[in-house]
Amino acid sequence: MAVREIIKLPDPVLKSVSTPVEQVTEDVRALLDDMLETMYDAPGIGLAAVQIGIAKRLVVIDIANEEEPPDPIFLINPEIVWWSEETAEYEEGCLSIPEVFGDVTRPAEVRVRYQDREGQPCERQCEGLLATCIQHEIDHLNGVLFIDLLSRLKRDRVVKKFTKAAKQAKEPA
Ligand code: NI
């Protein structure tokens, strides 16, 4: 396993629509393991493959808190097949947009269909933080960031700040 570099805003890679994984091979499992290690190292509770520059429909999640044993969830080609009408608001953040947080309203409960690490088809009913996290990560697979769900004013301010920082980092000292 290896910790990979996390792609940050405003890298256009984050806008890519990820492609489905055709076959769950050892390479795919190795990539999922790298994603998990990268997420734990950050630390974060969810990571999509596109955030390490690989636009494939792969997600890792672990919402266990510090007192609980690790509980990694591997999702290959996840898709939401049902949403509740009831919504929930969470303050979200993203490893690709460090130190930015914003309240996002999403369906409170979702049912997600995916393949697990072994390639087995699965379905899982999710609520609470897990439901929010899964929706946030699936958005990544479609090139959508949580700041795209905030007001245009707030989103533009964040993009501007990161664009400026990236430009400054490129300029010679
Ligand atoms: Ni994110």
Side-chain angles (χ1 to χ4, degrees):
M1 297 218 283
V3 172
R4 310 275 196 108
E5 195 192 333
I6 296 176
I7 309 265
K8 308 266 163 58
L9 194 75
D11 195 313
V13 167
L14 294 171
K15 290 268 148 211
S16 359
V17 175
S18 296
T19 56
V21 173
E22 306 268 334
Q23 240 189 328
V24 182
T25 59
E26 278 308 315
D27 285 350
V28 169
R29 277 188 277 274
L31 178 55
L32 285 167
D33 291 341
D34 279 3
M35 287 167 60
L36 192 70
E37 197 176 344
T38 304
M39 181 187 82
Y40 285 150
D41 179 71
I45 60 170
L47 188 80
V50 69
Q51 292 180 274
I52 57 167
I54 297 161
K56 289 274 175 196
R57 301 188 86 81
L58 294 168
V59 165
V60 293
I61 288 176
D62 189 340
I63 59 158
N65 65 38
E66 284 161 31
E67 287 90 56
E68 294 169 331
D71 183 20
I73 305 169
F74 300 96
L75 302 120
I76 301 171
N77 302 324
E79 81 181 289
I80 291 169
V81 293
W82 175 85
W83 297 258
S84 66
E85 269 177 44
E86 191 197 333
T87 58
E89 187 185 74
Y90 272 92
E91 186 179 60
E92 296 188 22
C94 182
L95 294 176
S96 294
I97 318 170
E99 287 160 50
V100 173
F101 301 92
D103 291 331
V104 181
T105 300
R106 300 181 186 270
E109 239 184 295
V110 294
R111 189 161 187 85
V112 61
R113 187 177 292 161
Y114 61 100
Q115 287 160 272
D116 68 11
R117 201 174 171 280
E118 268 62 60
Q120 292 304 310
C122 301
E123 265 193 34
R124 186 166 175 156
Q125 189 84 12
C126 312
E127 56 177 22
L129 179 60
L130 182 59
T132 282
C133 190
I134 281 181
Q135 292 174 80
H136 175 121
E137 299 311 327
I138 292 177
D139 275 355
H140 272 299
L141 305 183
N142 297 320
V144 175
L145 300 170
F146 86 91
I147 54 167
D148 298 329
L149 309 176
L150 304 177
S151 71
R152 169 171 276 195
L153 182 74
K154 174 134 197 203
R155 186 192 60 199
D156 288 351
R157 206 187 297 146
V158 171
V159 171
K160 208 169 155 188
K161 185 179 144 197
F162 278 78
T163 305
K164 196 175 159 193
K167 209 172 144 195
Q168 279 170 349
K170 256 193 236 161
E171 278 167 11

mmCIF file of all heavy atoms in Angstrom, residues 51 93-95 136-137 140, ligand 1:
data_model
loop_
_atom_site.group_PDB
_atom_site.id
_atom_site.type_symbol
_atom_site.label_atom_id
_atom_site.label_comp_id
_atom_site.label_asym_id
_atom_site.label_seq_id
_atom_site.Cartn_x
_atom_site.Cartn_y
_atom_site.Cartn_z
ATOM 1 N N GLN A 51 -9.723 11.737 -6.973
ATOM 2 C CA GLN A 51 -8.976 12.641 -6.087
ATOM 3 C C GLN A 51 -7.497 12.275 -5.994
ATOM 4 O O GLN A 51 -6.693 13.052 -5.468
ATOM 5 C CB GLN A 51 -9.590 12.651 -4.681
ATOM 6 C CG GLN A 51 -10.970 13.291 -4.641
ATOM 7 C CD GLN A 51 -11.532 13.283 -3.235
ATOM 8 O OE1 GLN A 51 -12.139 12.318 -2.824
ATOM 9 N NE2 GLN A 51 -11.302 14.349 -2.490
ATOM 10 N N GLY A 93 -16.870 18.918 4.192
ATOM 11 C CA GLY A 93 -15.545 19.361 3.801
ATOM 12 C C GLY A 93 -15.057 18.381 2.749
ATOM 13 O O GLY A 93 -15.767 17.428 2.411
ATOM 14 N N CYS A 94 -13.863 18.591 2.221
ATOM 15 C CA CYS A 94 -13.357 17.722 1.162
ATOM 16 C C CYS A 94 -11.832 17.750 1.182
ATOM 17 O O CYS A 94 -11.241 18.832 1.302
ATOM 18 C CB CYS A 94 -13.875 18.211 -0.186
ATOM 19 S SG CYS A 94 -13.352 17.190 -1.563
ATOM 20 N N LEU A 95 -11.213 16.575 1.046
ATOM 21 C CA LEU A 95 -9.746 16.520 1.078
ATOM 22 C C LEU A 95 -9.127 17.280 -0.097
ATOM 23 O O LEU A 95 -7.968 17.671 -0.039
ATOM 24 C CB LEU A 95 -9.269 15.063 1.078
ATOM 25 C CG LEU A 95 -9.622 14.260 2.338
ATOM 26 C CD1 LEU A 95 -9.198 12.808 2.185
ATOM 27 C CD2 LEU A 95 -8.986 14.878 3.580
ATOM 28 N N HIS A 136 -21.669 12.519 -1.390
ATOM 29 C CA HIS A 136 -20.532 13.414 -1.665
ATOM 30 C C HIS A 136 -19.517 12.698 -2.573
ATOM 31 O O HIS A 136 -19.033 13.274 -3.555
ATOM 32 C CB HIS A 136 -19.904 13.822 -0.325
ATOM 33 C CG HIS A 136 -18.653 14.635 -0.418
ATOM 34 N ND1 HIS A 136 -18.532 15.899 0.131
ATOM 35 C CD2 HIS A 136 -17.429 14.373 -0.973
ATOM 36 C CE1 HIS A 136 -17.318 16.376 -0.108
ATOM 37 N NE2 HIS A 136 -16.621 15.458 -0.756
ATOM 38 N N GLU A 137 -19.221 11.435 -2.263
ATOM 39 C CA GLU A 137 -18.215 10.702 -3.047
ATOM 40 C C GLU A 137 -18.724 10.362 -4.445
ATOM 41 O O GLU A 137 -17.972 10.437 -5.414
ATOM 42 C CB GLU A 137 -17.779 9.424 -2.314
ATOM 43 C CG GLU A 137 -17.135 9.647 -0.951
ATOM 44 C CD GLU A 137 -16.036 10.701 -0.937
ATOM 45 O OE1 GLU A 137 -15.316 10.855 -1.932
ATOM 46 O OE2 GLU A 137 -15.915 11.401 0.093
ATOM 47 N N HIS A 140 -18.270 13.158 -6.687
ATOM 48 C CA HIS A 140 -16.901 13.248 -7.225
ATOM 49 C C HIS A 140 -16.774 12.456 -8.530
ATOM 50 O O HIS A 140 -16.080 12.876 -9.457
ATOM 51 C CB HIS A 140 -15.887 12.665 -6.232
ATOM 52 C CG HIS A 140 -15.372 13.652 -5.220
ATOM 53 N ND1 HIS A 140 -14.679 14.785 -5.576
ATOM 54 C CD2 HIS A 140 -15.423 13.650 -3.864
ATOM 55 C CE1 HIS A 140 -14.332 15.450 -4.466
ATOM 56 N NE2 HIS A 140 -14.777 14.783 -3.422
HETATM 57 NI NI NI B 1 -14.602 15.298 -1.374
#
